[in-house]
Amino acid sequence: MNHRNVVLRELNKEVMNMEEILQMEKAHGESILEIRRRANGGWWEAPINALNLSQLKQLMEAMEFLKQDVEKEAQQQQMVTKVGLPFLTFGSALSPTNGARAISS
């Protein structure tokens, strides 16, 4: 009976964690939809070769911020779920080997 209670508590904790993740993902999805609605037809949706230098620089900066946000969110998700995410290990800015690449001359 005691073992059953322990198992039930662990399962309950896991369900609660999954519900929290689900709510976070729903909120994230809603914010993405809102951004899409507001940005309908923006210049950044044009083909890359149609952008001028200033627009390309703005796009590059926005992509860098987006990458940082995605990596932070992925790290938080990894901490919550304790599941490794492959893109955090290979070539990521958060990868411990990213700054340790050898430079050949």
Side-chain angles (χ1 to χ4, degrees):
M1 191 66 155
N2 191 24
H3 176 69
R4 181 176 174 221
N5 288 338
V6 170
V7 170
L8 285 175
R9 270 186 261 145
E10 288 298 319
L11 289 173
N12 190 34
K13 184 190 292 185
E14 189 173 332
V15 167
M16 290 175 65
N17 285 339
M18 296 304 282
E19 285 177 346
E20 183 178 334
I21 291 169
L22 176 63
Q23 292 305 316
M24 288 176 14
E25 291 298 323
K26 281 183 180 180
H28 187 251
E30 289 171 4
S31 66
I32 288 173
L33 288 175
E34 181 60 29
I35 289 169
R36 281 183 144 173
R37 275 187 229 119
R38 283 188 278 158
N40 193 10
W43 59 261
W44 51 87
E45 292 179 357
I48 294 290
N49 58 357
L51 301 177
N52 64 35
L53 182 60
S54 175
Q55 291 170 330
L56 287 169
K57 286 181 179 180
Q58 286 179 335
L59 181 60
M60 184 175 77
E61 186 176 310
M63 296 294 275
E64 288 172 355
F65 283 123
L66 177 63
K67 180 182 176 191
Q68 291 172 2
D69 288 346
V70 167
E71 288 176 339
K72 286 177 188 175
E73 181 66 27
Q75 269 191 335
Q76 289 175 351
Q77 292 297 322
Q78 187 176 14
M79 284 188 264
V80 169
T81 62
K82 306 229 185 330
V83 174
L85 301 172
F87 61 88
L88 286 178
T89 56
F90 298 109
S92 168
L94 299 176
S95 173
T97 60
N98 187 39
R101 291 184 182 151
I103 299 174
S104 60
S105 50

